[in-house]
Amino acid sequence: MHELIEGRWSARGYDQDATISTDDVTSILEAGRWAPTWGRVQPVRFVVGVRGDATFGKLTDALTRGNAGWAPASAALVLVCTAAEPDDEKARTYATVDTGLAVAQMILQAANLGFNGHPMAGFDPERVRELFAIPDDRRPLVLLGIGKLADPATVAPEIRERDERPRTRLPLDEVAFSETWGHAFGSP
């Protein structure tokens, strides 16, 4: 597995003094823009805030309680929106898939640049819709925090404790099947 994928994790202990350049943000956005897209539809759109600007302030105002304690230390926040497609289940599904692919590529590009990317659902979609005049045909789906890791000794104990938990996933034989559901891929 590639080291960027193997080392990927969603940190919370960000350095509140770290900055990110416009070039680095642009590179991360380009990674999202070039993600695979169903039928060349390209439904993904971004609202981008860099710590200190008005957009960043509005995005932090929309955070829910769980993320409000750590996410404002991000160097940038990117609201990722997709097509709403309320009457077309197939288009709605693939717009969501396209969003996931874009966010994944953005996280990997951020890691390549020395940043950590943390995707969040913990924000108020209706609040961001109002704050940024997001049209009805778009759906705010993910808020991506991008930051530099802080010295663990400088972050709140509850954040440090969460960041220090081992990163785990289910074993491959519990998620990859062949022949029939539940028959582990690669087993005789």
Side-chain angles (χ1 to χ4, degrees):
M1 182 167 31
H2 194 280
E3 63 189 36
L4 287 175
I5 298 168
E6 189 174 22
R8 188 224 56 83
W9 65 294
S10 299
R12 289 172 180 79
Y14 285 164
D15 180 347
Q16 62 186 4
D17 296 321
T19 60
I20 188 167
S21 71
T22 299
D23 287 346
D24 284 348
V25 173
T26 301
S27 177
I28 293 165
L29 295 170
E30 286 288 359
R33 184 172 75 93
W34 282 99
T37 183
W38 171 69
R40 299 183 183 179
V41 174
Q42 303 177 51
V44 179
R45 301 292 185 272
F46 310 112
V47 176
V48 185
V50 175
R51 191 183 333 101
D53 72 16
T55 301
F56 189 93
K58 289 179 183 179
L59 289 169
T60 60
D61 286 346
L63 291 167
T64 56
R65 187 178 47 128
N67 293 324
W70 67 267
S74 300
L77 291 170
V78 179
L79 177 64
V80 186
C81 302
T82 194
E85 303 293 350
D87 299 327
D88 186 336
E89 181 65 28
K90 186 175 181 179
R92 183 176 172 86
T93 297
Y94 283 104
T96 305
V97 170
D98 285 2
T99 303
L101 291 166
V103 170
Q105 288 193 186
M106 292 167 72
I107 289 169
L108 294 176
Q109 182 62 22
N112 184 57
L113 296 170
F115 292 90
N116 179 274
H118 185 129
M120 299 171 266
F123 68 95
D124 183 340
E126 292 310 311
R127 179 84 174 122
V128 294
R129 181 179 296 287
E130 175 188 310
L131 288 169
F132 299 106
I134 297 171
D136 290 341
D137 68 343
R138 296 289 155 181
R139 176 171 54 135
L141 197 57
V142 177
L143 185 58
L144 180 62
I146 302 166
K148 291 273 189 180
L149 299 180
D151 176 343
T154 66
V155 299
E158 64 276 7
I159 293 172
R160 183 174 55 249
E161 185 272 324
R162 287 186 77 177
D163 278 1
E164 290 175 349
R165 288 181 192 161
R167 181 174 169 250
T168 62
R169 292 292 185 269
L170 293 172
L172 193 58
D173 64 357
E174 290 183 27
V175 299
F177 311 127
S178 64
E179 296 180 28
T180 62
W181 189 267
H183 184 265
F185 171 78
S187 64

Coordinates of all heavy atoms in Angstrom, one line a residue, residues 88-176:
D88 N -33.6 12.3 -8.9 CA -32.9 11.3 -9.7 C -32.0 10.5 -8.7 O -30.9 11.0 -8.4 CB -32.1 12.0 -10.8 CG -31.4 11.0 -11.7 OD1 -31.2 9.9 -11.3 OD2 -31.1 11.4 -12.9
E89 N -32.4 9.4 -8.2 CA -31.7 8.6 -7.2 C -30.3 8.2 -7.7 O -29.3 8.3 -7.0 CB -32.5 7.4 -6.8 CG -31.8 6.5 -5.8 CD -31.7 7.2 -4.4 OE1 -32.5 8.0 -4.1 OE2 -30.7 6.8 -3.7
K90 N -30.2 7.8 -9.0 CA -28.9 7.4 -9.5 C -27.9 8.6 -9.6 O -26.8 8.5 -9.1 CB -29.1 6.8 -10.9 CG -27.8 6.3 -11.5 CD -28.1 5.6 -12.9 CE -26.9 5.0 -13.5 NZ -27.2 4.4 -14.8
A91 N -28.4 9.7 -10.1 CA -27.5 10.9 -10.1 C -27.1 11.4 -8.7 O -26.0 11.8 -8.5 CB -28.2 12.0 -10.9
R92 N -28.1 11.3 -7.8 CA -27.8 11.7 -6.4 C -26.7 10.8 -5.8 O -25.8 11.2 -5.1 CB -29.1 11.7 -5.6 CG -28.9 12.1 -4.1 CD -30.3 12.2 -3.4 NE -30.1 12.4 -2.0 CZ -30.1 13.6 -1.4 NH1 -30.1 14.7 -2.2 NH2 -29.9 13.8 -0.1
T93 N -26.9 9.5 -6.0 CA -25.9 8.5 -5.5 C -24.5 8.8 -6.0 O -23.5 8.9 -5.3 CB -26.4 7.1 -5.8 OG1 -27.6 6.8 -5.2 CG2 -25.3 6.0 -5.4
Y94 N -24.4 8.9 -7.3 CA -23.1 9.1 -7.9 C -22.5 10.5 -7.6 O -21.3 10.7 -7.5 CB -23.1 8.9 -9.4 CG -23.1 7.4 -9.7 CD1 -24.3 6.7 -10.0 CD2 -22.0 6.6 -9.4 CE1 -24.3 5.3 -10.2 CE2 -22.0 5.2 -9.6 CZ -23.1 4.6 -10.0 OH -23.1 3.2 -10.1
A95 N -23.4 11.5 -7.4 CA -22.8 12.8 -6.9 C -22.2 12.7 -5.6 O -21.1 13.3 -5.3 CB -24.0 13.8 -6.9
T96 N -22.8 11.8 -4.7 CA -22.2 11.5 -3.4 C -20.9 10.8 -3.6 O -19.9 11.1 -2.9 CB -23.2 10.8 -2.5 OG1 -24.4 11.5 -2.5 CG2 -22.7 10.6 -1.1
V97 N -20.8 9.8 -4.4 CA -19.6 9.0 -4.7 C -18.5 10.0 -5.2 O -17.4 9.9 -4.7 CB -19.9 7.9 -5.7 CG1 -18.6 7.2 -6.2 CG2 -20.8 6.8 -5.1
D98 N -18.9 10.8 -6.1 CA -17.9 11.8 -6.7 C -17.3 12.7 -5.6 O -16.1 13.0 -5.6 CB -18.5 12.7 -7.8 CG -18.7 11.9 -9.1 OD1 -18.4 10.7 -9.2 OD2 -19.2 12.6 -10.0
T99 N -18.2 13.0 -4.6 CA -17.7 13.9 -3.5 C -16.7 13.1 -2.7 O -15.7 13.7 -2.3 CB -18.9 14.4 -2.7 OG1 -19.8 15.1 -3.5 CG2 -18.5 15.3 -1.5
G100 N -17.0 11.9 -2.4 CA -16.1 11.1 -1.6 C -14.8 10.9 -2.3 O -13.7 11.0 -1.6
L101 N -14.8 10.7 -3.6 CA -13.5 10.5 -4.3 C -12.7 11.8 -4.3 O -11.5 11.8 -4.1 CB -13.8 10.1 -5.8 CG -14.4 8.7 -5.9 CD1 -14.9 8.6 -7.4 CD2 -13.3 7.7 -5.7
A102 N -13.4 13.0 -4.4 CA -12.7 14.3 -4.4 C -12.1 14.5 -3.0 O -10.9 14.9 -2.9 CB -13.7 15.4 -4.8
V103 N -12.8 14.2 -2.0 CA -12.3 14.5 -0.6 C -11.1 13.5 -0.4 O -10.1 14.0 0.2 CB -13.4 14.3 0.4 CG1 -12.8 14.2 1.8 CG2 -14.5 15.4 0.3
A104 N -11.2 12.3 -0.8 CA -10.1 11.4 -0.6 C -8.8 11.9 -1.3 O -7.7 11.8 -0.7 CB -10.5 10.0 -1.1
Q105 N -9.0 12.3 -2.5 CA -7.8 12.8 -3.2 C -7.2 14.1 -2.6 O -6.0 14.3 -2.6 CB -8.1 13.0 -4.7 CG -8.3 11.7 -5.4 CD -8.3 11.8 -6.9 OE1 -8.5 10.8 -7.6 NE2 -8.0 13.0 -7.5
M106 N -8.1 14.9 -2.1 CA -7.7 16.1 -1.4 C -6.9 15.8 -0.2 O -5.9 16.4 0.1 CB -8.9 17.0 -1.1 CG -9.5 17.6 -2.3 SD -11.1 18.3 -2.0 CE -10.7 19.8 -1.2
I107 N -7.4 14.8 0.6 CA -6.7 14.4 1.8 C -5.3 13.9 1.5 O -4.3 14.2 2.2 CB -7.5 13.3 2.6 CG1 -8.7 14.0 3.2 CG2 -6.7 12.6 3.6 CD1 -9.8 13.0 3.7
L108 N -5.2 13.1 0.4 CA -3.9 12.5 0.0 C -2.9 13.6 -0.5 O -1.7 13.6 -0.1 CB -4.0 11.4 -1.0 CG -4.7 10.2 -0.5 CD1 -4.9 9.2 -1.6 CD2 -4.0 9.5 0.7
Q109 N -3.5 14.6 -1.2 CA -2.6 15.7 -1.7 C -2.2 16.5 -0.5 O -1.0 17.0 -0.4 CB -3.4 16.5 -2.7 CG -2.6 17.7 -3.3 CD -1.3 17.2 -4.0 OE1 -1.3 16.1 -4.5 NE2 -0.3 18.1 -4.2
A110 N -3.1 16.8 0.5 CA -2.7 17.5 1.7 C -1.5 16.8 2.4 O -0.5 17.4 2.8 CB -3.9 17.7 2.6
A111 N -1.6 15.5 2.5 CA -0.6 14.7 3.2 C 0.7 14.8 2.4 O 1.8 14.9 3.0 CB -1.0 13.2 3.3
N112 N 0.6 14.8 1.1 CA 1.8 14.9 0.3 C 2.5 16.3 0.5 O 3.8 16.4 0.4 CB 1.5 14.8 -1.2 CG 2.7 14.8 -2.1 OD1 3.6 14.0 -2.0 ND2 2.7 15.7 -3.0
L113 N 1.8 17.3 0.9 CA 2.3 18.6 1.1 C 2.7 18.8 2.6 O 3.1 19.9 3.0 CB 1.3 19.7 0.7 CG 1.0 19.7 -0.8 CD1 -0.2 20.6 -1.1 CD2 2.2 20.1 -1.6
G114 N 2.5 17.8 3.4 CA 2.9 17.9 4.8 C 1.8 18.3 5.7 O 2.0 18.7 6.9
F115 N 0.5 18.3 5.2 CA -0.6 18.7 6.0 C -1.5 17.4 6.4 O -1.3 16.4 5.7 CB -1.5 19.7 5.3 CG -0.9 21.0 5.1 CD1 -0.1 21.3 4.0 CD2 -1.0 22.0 6.0 CE1 0.5 22.5 3.8 CE2 -0.4 23.3 5.9 CZ 0.3 23.5 4.8
N116 N -2.4 17.6 7.3 CA -3.3 16.5 7.6 C -4.7 17.0 7.2 O -5.0 18.2 7.4 CB -3.3 16.3 9.2 CG -4.2 15.2 9.6 OD1 -5.4 15.5 9.8 ND2 -3.8 14.0 9.6
G117 N -5.5 16.1 6.6 CA -6.8 16.4 6.3 C -7.8 15.6 7.1 O -7.7 14.4 7.3
H118 N -8.8 16.3 7.6 CA -9.8 15.7 8.5 C -11.2 16.0 8.0 O -11.7 17.1 8.1 CB -9.7 16.2 9.9 CG -10.6 15.5 10.9 ND1 -10.1 15.0 12.1 CD2 -11.9 15.3 10.9 CE1 -11.1 14.4 12.7 NE2 -12.2 14.6 12.1
P119 N -11.9 15.0 7.3 CA -13.2 15.3 6.8 C -14.3 15.2 8.0 O -14.1 14.4 8.9 CB -13.5 14.1 5.9 CG -12.6 13.0 6.4 CD -11.4 13.7 7.0
M120 N -15.2 16.1 7.9 CA -16.2 16.2 9.0 C -17.6 16.3 8.4 O -17.9 17.0 7.4 CB -16.0 17.5 9.8 CG -14.7 17.7 10.5 SD -14.5 19.4 11.1 CE -13.6 20.1 9.8
A121 N -18.5 15.7 9.2 CA -20.0 15.9 8.9 C -20.5 16.8 10.0 O -21.7 17.2 9.9 CB -20.7 14.5 8.9
G122 N -19.8 17.1 11.0 CA -20.2 17.9 12.1 C -20.3 19.4 11.9 O -19.5 20.2 12.4
F123 N -21.2 19.8 11.0 CA -21.5 21.2 10.7 C -22.9 21.3 10.4 O -23.6 20.3 10.1 CB -20.6 21.7 9.6 CG -20.9 21.1 8.2 CD1 -21.7 21.8 7.4 CD2 -20.3 19.9 7.9 CE1 -22.0 21.2 6.1 CE2 -20.6 19.4 6.6 CZ -21.4 20.0 5.8
D124 N -23.4 22.5 10.4 CA -24.9 22.8 10.1 C -25.0 23.1 8.6 O -24.7 24.2 8.2 CB -25.3 23.9 11.0 CG -26.8 24.2 10.8 OD1 -27.4 23.8 9.8 OD2 -27.4 24.9 11.7
P125 N -25.5 22.1 7.8 CA -25.7 22.3 6.4 C -26.6 23.5 6.1 O -26.3 24.2 5.1 CB -26.3 21.0 5.9 CG -26.0 20.0 6.9 CD -26.0 20.8 8.2
E126 N -27.7 23.7 6.8 CA -28.6 24.8 6.5 C -27.9 26.1 6.8 O -28.1 27.1 6.1 CB -29.9 24.6 7.3 CG -30.7 23.5 6.8 CD -30.9 23.5 5.2 OE1 -31.2 24.5 4.7 OE2 -30.7 22.4 4.6
R127 N -27.1 26.2 7.9 CA -26.4 27.4 8.2 C -25.4 27.8 7.1 O -25.3 28.9 6.7 CB -25.7 27.2 9.6 CG -24.9 28.4 10.0 CD -25.8 29.4 10.7 NE -24.9 30.4 11.3 CZ -25.1 31.7 11.0 NH1 -26.0 32.1 10.2 NH2 -24.3 32.6 11.5
V128 N -24.6 26.8 6.6 CA -23.7 27.2 5.5 C -24.4 27.5 4.2 O -24.0 28.4 3.5 CB -22.6 26.1 5.3 CG1 -21.7 25.9 6.5 CG2 -23.2 24.7 4.9
R129 N -25.5 26.9 4.0 CA -26.3 27.2 2.8 C -26.7 28.7 2.9 O -26.6 29.4 1.9 CB -27.6 26.3 2.8 CG -28.5 26.5 1.6 CD -29.7 25.6 1.6 NE -29.3 24.2 1.4 CZ -28.9 23.6 0.3 NH1 -28.7 24.4 -0.8 NH2 -28.6 22.4 0.3
E130 N -27.2 29.1 4.1 CA -27.6 30.5 4.3 C -26.4 31.4 4.2 O -26.4 32.5 3.5 CB -28.3 30.6 5.6 CG -28.6 32.0 6.1 CD -29.1 32.0 7.5 OE1 -30.0 31.2 7.9 OE2 -28.6 32.8 8.3
L131 N -25.3 31.1 4.9 CA -24.1 32.0 5.0 C -23.5 32.2 3.6 O -22.9 33.3 3.4 CB -23.1 31.4 5.9 CG -23.4 31.4 7.4 CD1 -22.4 30.6 8.2 CD2 -23.4 32.9 7.9
F132 N -23.5 31.2 2.7 CA -22.8 31.3 1.5 C -23.7 31.4 0.3 O -23.3 31.3 -0.9 CB -21.8 30.2 1.3 CG -20.7 30.2 2.4 CD1 -20.8 29.3 3.4 CD2 -19.7 31.2 2.4 CE1 -19.8 29.3 4.4 CE2 -18.8 31.2 3.4 CZ -18.8 30.3 4.4
A133 N -25.0 31.5 0.5 CA -26.0 31.6 -0.6 C -25.9 30.4 -1.5 O -25.9 30.5 -2.8 CB -25.9 32.9 -1.3
I134 N -25.7 29.2 -1.0 CA -25.6 28.0 -1.8 C -26.9 27.7 -2.4 O -27.9 27.6 -1.8 CB -25.1 26.8 -0.9 CG1 -23.7 27.1 -0.3 CG2 -25.1 25.5 -1.7 CD1 -23.2 26.2 0.7
P135 N -26.9 27.5 -3.7 CA -28.2 27.3 -4.4 C -28.9 26.0 -4.1 O -28.2 25.1 -3.6 CB -27.8 27.3 -5.9 CG -26.3 27.2 -6.0 CD -25.8 27.5 -4.6
D136 N -30.1 25.9 -4.3 CA -30.9 24.7 -3.9 C -30.5 23.5 -4.6 O -30.7 22.4 -4.2 CB -32.4 25.0 -4.2 CG -33.0 26.0 -3.2 OD1 -32.4 26.2 -2.1 OD2 -34.1 26.5 -3.5
D137 N -29.9 23.6 -5.8 CA -29.4 22.4 -6.6 C -28.1 21.9 -6.1 O -27.5 21.0 -6.7 CB -29.4 22.7 -8.1 CG -28.4 23.7 -8.5 OD1 -27.8 24.4 -7.6 OD2 -28.1 23.7 -9.7
R138 N -27.6 22.5 -5.0 CA -26.3 22.0 -4.4 C -26.5 21.5 -3.0 O -27.4 22.1 -2.3 CB -25.2 23.1 -4.4 CG -24.8 23.5 -5.8 CD -24.0 22.4 -6.5 NE -24.1 22.6 -7.9 CZ -23.6 21.7 -8.7 NH1 -22.8 20.7 -8.3 NH2 -23.7 21.9 -10.0
R139 N -25.8 20.6 -2.5 CA -25.9 20.0 -1.2 C -24.6 20.1 -0.5 O -23.6 19.4 -0.9 CB -26.4 18.6 -1.3 CG -26.5 17.8 -0.1 CD -27.3 16.5 -0.3 NE -26.6 15.7 -1.3 CZ -26.4 14.4 -1.3 NH1 -26.8 13.7 -0.2 NH2 -25.9 13.7 -2.3
P140 N -24.4 20.8 0.6 CA -23.2 20.8 1.4 C -23.1 19.5 2.1 O -24.0 19.0 2.8 CB -23.4 21.9 2.5 CG -24.6 22.7 2.1 CD -25.4 21.8 1.2
L141 N -22.0 18.8 1.9 CA -21.9 17.4 2.3 C -20.7 17.1 3.3 O -20.9 16.4 4.2 CB -21.7 16.5 1.1 CG -22.0 15.0 1.3 CD1 -23.4 14.7 1.8 CD2 -21.8 14.3 -0.1
V142 N -19.6 17.7 3.1 CA -18.4 17.5 3.9 C -17.7 18.8 4.1 O -17.6 19.6 3.3 CB -17.4 16.5 3.1 CG1 -16.1 16.3 4.0 CG2 -18.1 15.2 2.8
L143 N -17.2 18.9 5.4 CA -16.3 20.0 5.7 C -14.9 19.4 5.9 O -14.8 18.5 6.8 CB -16.8 20.8 6.9 CG -16.0 22.1 7.3 CD1 -16.0 23.1 6.1 CD2 -16.6 22.7 8.5
L144 N -13.9 19.8 5.2 CA -12.6 19.3 5.3 C -11.6 20.3 6.0 O -11.4 21.4 5.5 CB -12.0 19.0 3.9 CG -10.6 18.4 3.8 CD1 -10.5 17.0 4.5 CD2 -10.1 18.3 2.4
G145 N -11.1 19.9 7.2 CA -10.1 20.6 7.9 C -8.8 20.3 7.4 O -8.5 19.1 7.2
I146 N -7.9 21.2 7.1 CA -6.6 21.0 6.7 C -5.6 21.7 7.6 O -5.8 22.9 7.8 CB -6.4 21.5 5.2 CG1 -7.4 20.8 4.3 CG2 -4.9 21.3 4.8 CD1 -7.5 21.5 2.9
G147 N -4.7 21.0 8.2 CA -3.8 21.7 9.2 C -2.5 20.9 9.3 O -2.3 19.8 8.8
K148 N -1.6 21.6 10.1 CA -0.4 21.0 10.5 C -0.5 20.4 11.9 O -1.2 21.0 12.7 CB 0.8 22.0 10.5 CG 1.1 22.5 9.1 CD 2.2 21.6 8.5 CE 2.7 22.3 7.3 NZ 3.7 21.4 6.6
L149 N 0.1 19.3 12.2 CA 0.0 18.7 13.5 C 0.7 19.5 14.5 O 1.8 20.0 14.3 CB 0.6 17.3 13.5 CG -0.1 16.3 12.6 CD1 0.6 14.9 12.7 CD2 -1.6 16.1 12.9
A150 N 0.1 19.7 15.7 CA 0.7 20.4 16.8 C 1.5 19.5 17.6 O 1.3 18.3 17.6 CB -0.4 21.0 17.6
D151 N 2.4 20.0 18.4 CA 3.1 19.3 19.4 C 2.0 18.7 20.3 O 1.3 19.5 20.9 CB 4.1 20.2 20.1 CG 4.8 19.5 21.3 OD1 4.4 18.4 21.7 OD2 5.8 20.1 21.7
P152 N 2.0 17.4 20.6 CA 0.9 16.9 21.4 C 0.8 17.5 22.8 O -0.2 17.6 23.4 CB 1.2 15.4 21.5 CG 2.0 15.1 20.3 CD 2.8 16.4 20.0
A153 N 2.0 18.0 23.3 CA 2.0 18.6 24.6 C 1.2 19.9 24.7 O 0.9 20.4 25.7 CB 3.4 18.8 25.1
T154 N 0.9 20.5 23.5 CA 0.3 21.8 23.4 C -1.2 21.7 23.2 O -1.9 22.8 23.2 CB 0.9 22.7 22.4 OG1 0.6 22.1 21.1 CG2 2.4 22.8 22.5
V155 N -1.7 20.6 23.0 CA -3.2 20.4 22.7 C -3.9 20.0 24.0 O -3.3 19.4 24.9 CB -3.5 19.5 21.5 CG1 -2.8 20.0 20.3 CG2 -3.1 18.1 21.8
A156 N -5.2 20.3 24.0 CA -6.0 19.9 25.1 C -6.0 18.4 25.4 O -5.9 17.6 24.4 CB -7.5 20.3 24.9
P157 N -6.0 17.9 26.6 CA -5.9 16.5 26.9 C -6.9 15.6 26.2 O -6.5 14.5 25.7 CB -6.1 16.4 28.4 CG -5.8 17.8 28.9 CD -6.1 18.7 27.8
E158 N -8.1 16.1 26.0 CA -9.2 15.3 25.4 C -8.9 15.1 23.9 O -9.2 14.1 23.3 CB -10.6 15.8 25.6 CG -10.9 17.2 25.0 CD -10.4 18.3 25.9 OE1 -9.8 18.1 27.0 OE2 -10.8 19.5 25.5
I159 N -8.3 16.1 23.3 CA -7.9 16.0 21.9 C -6.7 15.1 21.7 O -6.6 14.2 20.9 CB -7.6 17.4 21.3 CG1 -8.9 18.2 21.2 CG2 -7.0 17.3 19.9 CD1 -8.8 19.7 20.8
R160 N -5.7 15.3 22.6 CA -4.5 14.5 22.6 C -4.9 13.0 22.7 O -4.4 12.1 22.0 CB -3.5 14.9 23.6 CG -2.2 14.1 23.6 CD -1.1 14.6 24.6 NE -1.6 14.7 26.0 CZ -1.8 15.9 26.6 NH1 -1.6 17.0 26.1 NH2 -2.3 15.8 27.9
E161 N -5.8 12.7 23.7 CA -6.2 11.3 23.9 C -6.8 10.7 22.7 O -6.5 9.6 22.3 CB -7.1 11.3 25.1 CG -7.5 9.9 25.6 CD -8.8 9.3 24.8 OE1 -9.7 10.1 24.5 OE2 -8.7 8.1 24.5
R162 N -7.6 11.5 22.0 CA -8.3 10.9 20.8 C -7.3 10.7 19.7 O -7.3 9.7 19.0 CB -9.4 11.9 20.3 CG -10.6 11.8 21.2 CD -11.8 12.6 20.7 NE -12.4 11.8 19.6 CZ -13.5 12.2 19.0 NH1 -14.1 13.3 19.4 NH2 -14.0 11.5 18.0
D163 N -6.3 11.7 19.5 CA -5.3 11.6 18.5 C -4.3 10.4 18.7 O -3.8 9.9 17.8 CB -4.5 12.9 18.3 CG -5.3 13.9 17.5 OD1 -6.4 13.6 17.0 OD2 -4.7 15.0 17.3
E164 N -4.2 10.0 20.0 CA -3.2 9.0 20.3 C -3.8 7.6 20.3 O -3.1 6.6 20.4 CB -2.6 9.2 21.7 CG -1.6 10.4 21.7 CD -1.1 10.8 23.0 OE1 -1.6 10.3 24.1 OE2 -0.2 11.6 23.1
R165 N -5.1 7.5 20.1 CA -5.8 6.2 20.0 C -5.2 5.4 18.7 O -5.0 6.1 17.7 CB -7.3 6.3 19.8 CG -8.0 6.7 21.0 CD -9.5 6.8 20.8 NE -10.1 7.5 21.9 CZ -11.3 8.1 21.8 NH1 -12.0 8.0 20.7 NH2 -11.9 8.7 22.8
P166 N -5.0 4.1 18.8 CA -4.6 3.4 17.7 C -5.6 3.5 16.5 O -6.8 3.5 16.7 CB -4.5 1.9 18.2 CG -4.5 2.0 19.7 CD -5.2 3.3 20.0
R167 N -5.0 3.6 15.3 CA -5.8 3.6 14.1 C -6.1 2.2 13.7 O -5.2 1.4 13.5 CB -5.1 4.3 13.0 CG -5.8 4.5 11.7 CD -5.0 5.3 10.8 NE -5.5 5.3 9.4 CZ -4.9 4.7 8.4 NH1 -3.8 4.1 8.6 NH2 -5.5 4.6 7.2
T168 N -7.4 1.8 13.7 CA -7.8 0.4 13.4 C -8.8 0.4 12.2 O -9.5 1.3 12.0 CB -8.3 -0.3 14.6 OG1 -9.5 0.4 15.0 CG2 -7.3 -0.3 15.7
R169 N -8.8 -0.8 11.6 CA -9.8 -1.1 10.6 C -10.2 -2.6 10.7 O -9.4 -3.4 11.2 CB -9.4 -0.8 9.2 CG -9.1 0.7 8.8 CD -10.5 1.4 8.8 NE -10.4 2.8 8.4 CZ -10.2 3.8 9.2 NH1 -10.0 3.6 10.5 NH2 -10.1 5.0 8.8
L170 N -11.4 -2.9 10.3 CA -11.7 -4.4 10.3 C -10.7 -5.1 9.4 O -10.2 -4.6 8.4 CB -13.1 -4.5 9.7 CG -14.3 -4.0 10.5 CD1 -15.6 -4.0 9.8 CD2 -14.4 -4.7 11.9
P171 N -10.5 -6.4 9.7 CA -9.6 -7.2 8.9 C -10.2 -7.4 7.5 O -11.4 -7.4 7.3 CB -9.5 -8.5 9.6 CG -10.2 -8.4 10.9 CD -11.0 -7.1 10.9
L172 N -9.3 -7.5 6.5 CA -9.7 -7.6 5.1 C -10.7 -8.8 4.9 O -11.6 -8.7 4.1 CB -8.5 -7.8 4.2 CG -8.7 -7.6 2.7 CD1 -9.3 -6.2 2.4 CD2 -7.5 -7.8 1.9
D173 N -10.5 -9.9 5.6 CA -11.4 -11.0 5.4 C -12.8 -10.8 5.9 O -13.7 -11.6 5.6 CB -10.8 -12.3 6.0 CG -10.6 -12.3 7.5 OD1 -10.9 -11.3 8.1 OD2 -10.1 -13.3 8.0
E174 N -13.0 -9.7 6.6 CA -14.3 -9.3 7.1 C -15.0 -8.3 6.1 O -16.2 -8.1 6.3 CB -14.3 -8.8 8.5 CG -14.0 -9.8 9.6 CD -14.0 -9.2 10.9 OE1 -14.8 -8.2 11.2 OE2 -13.3 -9.7 11.8
V175 N -14.3 -7.8 5.2 CA -14.9 -6.8 4.3 C -14.7 -7.1 2.8 O -15.4 -6.4 2.0 CB -14.3 -5.4 4.6 CG1 -14.6 -5.0 6.0 CG2 -12.8 -5.3 4.3
A176 N -13.9 -8.1 2.4 CA -13.7 -8.4 1.0 C -14.1 -9.8 0.8 O -13.5 -10.8 1.4 CB -12.2 -8.2 0.6

